[in-house]
Amino acid sequence: MKNTKFSNFWDSLNSSFWFVPTVMVFLATALSFVTIWIDQNQKTKLIGELGWAYTLGPSGSRAILSAIASSMMSVATTAFSITIVALQLASSQFGPRLLRNFMQDRGNQIVLGTFISTFVYSLMVLRTINGLEEHEFVPHLAVTFGIALAIASIGVLIYFIHHSASSIQVDHVIKLVGRELDGAIDRLFPESIGTSKAKNKQQDNPSDISAEIPANFDRDARPVSAINGGYIQAINNHELMQIASEHNLLLQIQQRPGRFIVEGIELAQVFPGKQVNDELESKINGAFLIGSQRTEQQDVEFSIDQLVEIAVRALSPGINDPFTAIRCIDQLSAALCRLTQREIPSPYRYDDSNQLRMIAEPISFADVIDAAFNQIRQNGKSNVAVTMRLLEAIAVVARFTDRTTHRKALRRHADLTERASQQASFDELDCKDIQERYLAALKAIEQD
């Protein structure tokens, strides 16, 4: 992945409140220079011929631009306050991990940028108005654009009020996280890093790949340790492949995106170990992007954990909102159905000469379904509706796959859910309903 670092940098910009407003301020400043230049250099009566254009004198122009600037600053302050309140509500209701999604909201960024840009534009035009008789200058076109920006800001304010009210609704939040999860599945499964050769070998005879791993790998391989700690946000597989090819190495990656690592933990095993030196260790460390928080760039479990966090919070005794948890289960089951129809990338990576160069830390369907269902089952085992919906979700996912490994993982979760229901003190009729869902899930899992 050649653009891993750029993608990570771009993702951090998208998660900030300053980038889009800053770009819009620069554009507004450029627009002010352009319109003022036209007013200064283009000797035309076009403005006067336009009935809707502004044609008053210096004092009126100053009054209008001053009113626009002061009102935009007040509205921007109010919008920022509303945004902070929305972030506080999101943090307390959905969890602090969801704040990143709200900060990525392009609508809020554009709203703040519009108000600040209109304010800056008005100031830039206001400074050029000259009321002296011998040097009188009024940039009519620029003032007209200022009025147009103010009118547009009113429309943006109306949109912002509606958007703020809808963005904190739980169904809207779950939908956005689910859409992000679907995007991660589409992006990561399959990925163009497992070659067809590795895939065919795994299907025909998995031992063929094992035969390509040197017999003395465990004895002669040498570990490369992390020089920094934090969450692995992404791994530049293209860069690691280049390092392995240039130095004729076989790399066994010990970590995967989403994991938290501490300084000194093993990142990879390098064979032959005698080639490991400070320069090589630095290059391998450079292919691992480490940060203070997880991202969805290469971590499909990140979005799953966000949905699980919403569900677990909803099931807490203080909130007791099983309907939100059920909505999260529905979204998770839809994503798992999508995942069952995708190929899990091969952990064995080959260079252009079909030489095995990398063995990645794999992620399996069982890992994903564990992340999706374990905590919800553990926290919702005393709720009949949540237990039944989990079994129904397992049955739905089972209908979309015929792979033995997938069905085995689904059967395990069906058994765990049914066993947890037996430990709870449910009514006899509720137990009967749960048993019916359990048998339906087994039927879906075991069908040919």
Side-chain angles (χ1 to χ4, degrees):
M1 194 175 291
K2 297 181 180 180
N3 298 321
T4 302
K5 293 183 179 179
F6 175 78
S7 299
N8 190 66
F9 175 71
W10 182 249
D11 183 72
S12 65
L13 289 181
N14 284 333
S15 302
S16 67
F17 269 142
W18 63 267
F19 177 67
V20 171
T22 300
V23 172
M24 295 181 68
V25 166
F26 278 111
L27 292 176
T29 303
L31 177 63
S32 68
F33 281 114
V34 170
T35 53
I36 292 171
W37 181 84
I38 293 175
D39 280 311
Q40 289 176 335
N41 297 277
Q42 303 301 313
K43 306 299 183 181
T44 177
K45 298 181 179 180
L46 177 62
I47 295 297
E49 295 173 357
L50 297 176
W52 50 266
Y54 178 84
T55 56
L56 298 181
S59 59
S61 300
R62 289 197 189 96
I64 288 178
L65 291 177
S66 298
I68 292 174
S70 59
S71 61
M72 285 302 105
M73 205 58 196
S74 300
V75 173
T77 303
T78 303
F80 185 76
S81 301
I82 294 174
T83 301
I84 295 300
V85 171
L87 291 177
Q88 292 176 338
L89 289 174
S91 178
S92 60
Q93 184 175 357
F94 307 121
R97 261 67 57 184
L98 271 296
L99 289 181
R100 183 173 174 276
N101 298 66
F102 284 86
M103 293 185 67
Q104 282 183 324
D105 192 318
R106 188 68 73 199
N108 288 338
Q109 296 173 0
I110 292 177
V111 167
L112 293 175
T114 301
F115 296 148
I116 297 174
S117 299
T118 303
F119 169 77
V120 171
Y121 177 88
S122 299
L123 290 184
M124 296 300 293
V125 176
L126 185 61
R127 68 184 177 86
T128 64
I129 298 176
N130 193 337
L132 298 177
E133 292 185 4
E134 61 274 17
H135 301 291
E136 181 177 306
F137 174 70
V138 178
H140 294 112
L141 180 62
V143 175
T144 302
F145 266 89
I147 297 173
L149 288 175
I151 296 174
S153 298
I154 295 174
V156 170
L157 177 62
I158 296 172
Y159 160 79
F160 177 69
I161 294 172
H162 167 76
H163 182 70
S164 297
S166 60
S167 64
I168 59 175
Q169 295 179 17
V170 64
D171 288 339
H172 178 78
V173 174
I174 293 173
K175 180 182 178 182
L176 289 181
V177 178
R179 188 181 302 167
E180 186 177 88
L181 176 56
D182 291 341
I185 292 174
D186 292 341
R187 185 173 63 254
L188 299 175
F189 301 98
E191 231 178 352
S192 58
I193 49 180
T195 67
S196 58
K197 177 181 177 182
K199 178 181 174 183
N200 292 336
K201 283 188 175 183
Q202 282 182 301
Q203 292 175 343
D204 298 336
N205 188 4
S207 62
D208 289 346
I209 292 182
S210 300
E212 296 187 21
I213 302 175
N216 58 336
F217 181 88
D218 293 334
R219 185 180 69 251
D220 295 340
R222 180 177 168 182
V224 171
S225 301
I227 59 178
N228 294 306
Y231 287 99
I232 299 179
Q233 296 178 338
I235 299 176
N236 194 326
N237 294 283
H238 177 79
E239 185 174 340
L240 287 175
M241 182 65 73
Q242 282 188 328
I243 294 172
S245 299
E246 290 174 1
H247 296 82
N248 194 24
L249 303 173
L250 174 59
L251 304 179
Q252 184 177 32
I253 310 302
Q254 303 291 323
Q255 308 294 337
R256 68 170 182 247
R259 285 185 177 173
F260 181 83
I261 61 172
V262 296
E263 183 180 345
I265 199 170
E266 291 184 10
L267 290 179
Q269 289 281 342
V270 179
F271 179 87
K274 61 183 181 181
Q275 296 198 37
V276 176
N277 51 39
D278 292 342
E279 181 182 359
L280 184 63
E281 288 186 351
S282 178
K283 288 182 179 179
I284 292 177
N285 270 273
F288 289 78
L289 300 183
I290 311 296
S292 60
Q293 60 184 2
R294 295 169 64 183
T295 68
E296 80 284 358
Q297 185 178 351
Q298 291 184 4
D299 182 11
V300 70
E301 292 184 9
F302 175 71
S303 297
I304 291 177
D305 288 344
Q306 288 183 317
L307 289 172
V308 170
E309 182 174 8
I310 296 174
V312 170
R313 280 178 171 267
L315 291 172
S316 64
I319 299 178
N320 192 23
D321 180 14
F323 294 102
T324 296
I326 289 172
R327 180 74 176 84
C328 292
I329 293 172
D330 293 340
Q331 195 67 56
L332 287 168
S333 64
L336 290 172
C337 290
R338 195 184 195 95
L339 181 60
T340 58
Q341 303 172 65
R342 303 302 177 96
E343 290 289 339
I344 303 295
S346 169
Y348 301 97
R349 315 289 165 79
Y350 290 77
D351 60 16
D352 295 335
S353 302
N354 284 333
Q355 177 70 33
L356 180 62
R357 292 300 182 188
M358 287 175 53
I359 305 174
E361 177 72 9
I363 183 171
S364 65
F365 180 79
D367 295 330
V368 176
I369 198 172
D370 284 347
F373 287 159
N374 273 343
Q375 292 192 56
I376 297 178
R377 183 191 68 253
Q378 293 160 1
N379 289 272
K381 60 184 179 181
S382 60
N383 190 287
V384 177
V386 172
T387 301
M388 290 194 297
R389 185 54 64 92
L390 275 174
L391 292 170
E392 291 170 354
I394 291 171
V396 170
V397 176
R399 296 189 183 98
F400 282 82
T401 181
D402 56 0
R403 302 182 187 183
T404 303
T405 54
H406 291 183
R407 290 179 178 272
K408 183 178 179 181
L410 291 170
R411 174 61 187 265
R412 174 176 174 271
H413 278 275
D415 292 341
L416 287 171
T417 305
E418 193 270 341
R419 191 181 308 158
S421 69
Q422 292 180 353
Q423 297 172 357
S425 56
F426 292 147
D427 184 82
E428 182 180 350
L429 293 178
D430 289 335
C431 292
K432 183 179 178 181
D433 290 339
I434 292 174
Q435 192 66 22
E436 289 178 356
R437 267 73 172 184
Y438 174 65
L439 294 176
L442 293 185
K443 183 179 179 181
I445 293 170
E446 295 171 356
Q447 69 180 356
D448 295 330

